[in-house]
């Protein structure tokens, strides 16, 4: 028994000697509970929708006036913390409203019939790439029509066809593959190289330290790109999605490449600060949780509480997933994903600089 007891004491003392690991072991389950519990299934409010009346005539009907007012005052949640369910924008031009829907500025367009309409139907155009918001908007329209005593039928038009949740979530898995391959293939390998003295060997060569870091980032970017590209094809195979054009394919490659550069640089900047694989894995697992959970891969960002939603502003995975969904599910181009690409480029540039500065200080 002495042997097992001695090994137990040594191993347990080693665990107690690292308070950082103990802290992360206790904190991580709590963070999972708080973050994951608030990300999934939150109350969705302030959904931007457009309301327009078909023409002719150009005069507003009582149905349009009353319904637009009621839609703008529907509340979600309990009485104490109720929030507006819809943010209504009234359009004078149906074509402009539909254009804003296709460009992602609003989540739905509600077209009310004019007094000379043949079928008196309320036409609802929804962004079917989101499986959560369209039913909420349709329910709100039904509620308002019922409250007004109107028996107008509702015709729902899914502008991107029938898109399943598997297809919605599958796009997010591409970004998860990029982060995972970089976290395990790049960060841990970097720490192992330091443990084996390879980094010290770099210092006796005439290669600049910034070049060493750029080489590590480039290698990690290629590995991450291969992983993301492979999962992209598997995702298309499993979900049955078909790209509409070769231009869409090139845009997907561009988004994946820029995202790989940013994530790899982020991982390198963190890995360069740790000498222990355990500490690195704990921190990077935390970031993986925070970034992926708040990226909108599982659930629309609009359904998150405000204290979590601000993280998406600095979350590269959010912009990557939003851009990929725009291309793969909605067949949208640079005019729509331009902001996402700019955000990814800014993040990648900052992370590359941070990776170089951080890594150089570590080598010194």
């Amino acid at each position: 028994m002495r042997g097992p007891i001695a090994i137990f004491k040594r191993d347990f003392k080693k665990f107690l000697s690292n308070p950082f690991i103990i802290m992360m072991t206790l904190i991580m389950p709590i963070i999972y509970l708080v973050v994951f519990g608030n990300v999934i299934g939150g109350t969705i409010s302030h959904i931007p929708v457009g309301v327009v009346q078909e023409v002719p005539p150009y005069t507003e009907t009582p149905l349009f006036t009353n319904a637009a007012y009621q839609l703008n005052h529907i509340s979600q949640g309990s009485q104490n913390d109720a929030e507006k369910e819809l943010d209504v924008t009234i359009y004078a031009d149906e074509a402009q409203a539909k254009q804003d829907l296709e460009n992602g500025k609003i989540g739905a367009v509600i077209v009310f019939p004019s007094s000379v309409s043949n079928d008196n139907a309320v036409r609802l155009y929804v962004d079917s790439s989101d499986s959560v918001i369209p039913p909420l908007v349709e329910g709100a329209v039904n509620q308002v029509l019922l409250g007004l005593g109107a028996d107008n039928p509702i015709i729902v038009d899914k502008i991107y066809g029938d898109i399943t949740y598997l297809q919605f979530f599958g796009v997010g898995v591409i970004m998860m593959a990029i982060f995972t391959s970089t976290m395990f293939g790049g960060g841990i390998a970097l720490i192992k190289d330091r443990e084996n003295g390879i980094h010290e060997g770099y210092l006796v060569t005439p290669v600049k330290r910034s070049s060493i870091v750029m080489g590590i980032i480039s290698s990690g970017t290629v590995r991450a790109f291969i992983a993301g590209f492979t999962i992209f094809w598997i995702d298309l195979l499993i979900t049955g999605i078909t790209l509409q054009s070769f231009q869409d394919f090139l845009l997907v490659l561009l988004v994946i490449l820029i995202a790989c550069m940013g994530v790899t640089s982020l991982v390198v900047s963190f890995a360069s600060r740790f000498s222990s694989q355990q500490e690195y894995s704990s921190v990077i697992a935390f970031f993986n949780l925070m970034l992926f959970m708040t990226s909108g891969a599982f659930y629309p960002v609009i359904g998150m509480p405000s204290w979590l939603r601000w993280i998406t502003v600095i979350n590269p995975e959010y912009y990557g997933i939003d851009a990929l969904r725009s291309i793969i599910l909605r067949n949208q181009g640079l005019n729509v994903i331009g902001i996402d690409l700019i955000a990814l480029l800014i993040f990648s540039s900052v992370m590359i600089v941070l990776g170089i500065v951080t890594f150089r200080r570590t080598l010194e």
Side-chain angles (χ1 to χ4, degrees):
M1 289 294 293
R2 289 184 178 179
I5 291 175
I7 293 175
F8 166 78
K9 287 182 178 179
R10 178 187 178 280
D11 196 62
F12 195 70
K13 284 181 180 179
K14 186 178 179 181
F15 171 73
L16 293 177
S17 66
N18 195 333
F20 181 82
I21 298 298
I22 298 175
M23 181 184 67
M24 294 302 295
T25 303
L26 297 175
I27 289 178
M28 283 300 292
I30 299 174
I31 296 209
Y32 269 96
L33 172 64
V34 174
V35 175
F36 194 75
N38 282 280
V39 165
I40 303 296
T43 301
I44 295 180
S45 59
H46 297 282
I47 303 171
V49 300
V51 175
V52 64
Q53 179 178 282
E54 64 180 2
V55 292
Y58 294 95
T59 54
E60 297 180 354
T61 63
L63 174 64
F64 172 76
T65 304
N66 294 329
Y69 177 83
Q70 294 295 333
L71 286 169
N72 202 35
H73 289 80
I74 294 180
S75 299
Q76 277 276 75
S78 61
Q79 223 173 9
N80 295 330
D81 59 350
E83 293 189 42
K84 282 180 59 179
E85 182 175 0
L86 306 177
D87 285 337
V88 174
T89 300
I90 298 178
Y91 286 83
D93 183 11
E94 182 177 335
Q96 182 60 52
K98 291 179 180 177
Q99 186 64 48
D100 285 352
L101 173 61
E102 292 178 0
N103 291 339
K105 294 180 179 179
I106 53 179
V109 173
I110 309 164
V111 183
F112 287 94
S114 64
S115 57
V116 296
S117 172
N118 292 327
D119 55 8
N120 274 334
V122 175
R123 289 178 286 125
L124 176 61
Y125 297 88
V126 295
D127 178 359
S128 53
S129 65
D130 186 331
S131 59
V132 178
I133 291 178
L136 294 176
V137 178
E138 184 177 358
V141 175
N142 271 312
Q143 178 182 335
V144 166
L145 291 179
L146 183 64
L148 295 175
D151 57 357
N152 302 69
I154 299 177
I155 300 176
V156 180
D157 187 334
K158 301 177 180 179
I159 64 173
Y160 301 118
D162 290 318
I163 296 177
T164 64
Y165 182 78
L166 179 65
Q167 294 170 330
F168 173 83
F169 176 66
V171 176
V173 174
I174 299 173
M175 288 299 300
M176 183 173 66
I178 292 172
F179 197 101
T180 304
S181 65
T182 305
M183 177 177 65
F184 291 107
I188 293 180
L190 191 150
I191 294 176
K192 282 185 177 179
D193 285 348
R194 183 184 296 109
E195 291 174 347
N196 295 330
I198 294 177
H199 289 170
E200 285 74 8
Y202 287 151
L203 298 179
V204 300
T205 67
V207 180
K208 294 181 179 179
R209 296 182 181 184
S210 59
S211 299
I212 295 173
V213 179
M214 288 302 298
I216 294 172
I217 292 176
S218 300
S219 174
T221 298
V222 171
R223 288 197 299 267
F225 181 82
I226 292 173
F229 183 71
T230 302
I231 296 300
F232 161 66
W233 281 111
I234 295 175
D235 179 57
L236 295 185
L237 206 61
I238 293 176
T239 60
I241 299 173
T242 303
L243 290 181
Q244 301 297 316
S245 66
F246 184 68
Q247 181 183 355
D248 290 347
F249 175 72
L250 293 179
L251 284 176
V252 168
L253 296 186
L254 178 62
V255 172
I256 293 176
L257 178 62
I258 297 175
C260 288
M261 285 193 297
V263 172
T264 301
S265 302
L266 171 67
V267 170
V268 167
S269 66
F270 274 102
S272 63
R273 307 305 299 173
F274 293 98
S275 57
S276 165
Q277 294 185 37
Q278 283 183 317
E279 293 180 358
Y280 164 77
S281 298
S282 300
V283 171
I284 214 68
F286 168 77
F287 273 96
N288 187 29
L289 165 71
M290 293 299 295
L291 294 179
F292 191 64
M293 292 298 180
T294 59
S295 65
F298 293 100
Y299 197 71
V301 173
I302 197 173
M304 299 179 192
S306 56
W307 63 270
L308 262 181
R309 202 181 304 172
W310 70 265
I311 298 178
T312 61
V313 177
I314 57 174
N315 186 350
E317 293 193 19
Y318 164 73
Y319 296 105
I321 290 175
D322 186 63
L324 289 175
R325 281 203 181 117
S326 297
I327 301 166
I328 297 173
L329 300 182
R330 307 181 191 119
N331 190 31
Q332 294 171 331
L334 283 171
N335 61 316
V336 175
I337 69 168
I339 295 178
D340 294 321
L341 290 180
I342 291 172
L344 284 172
L345 284 170
I346 292 174
F347 177 82
S348 298
S349 301
V350 171
M351 286 300 106
I352 288 173
V353 173
L354 180 63
I356 292 174
V357 172
T358 306
F359 196 74
R360 288 187 63 180
R361 287 179 180 172
T362 303
L363 292 177
E364 293 170 355

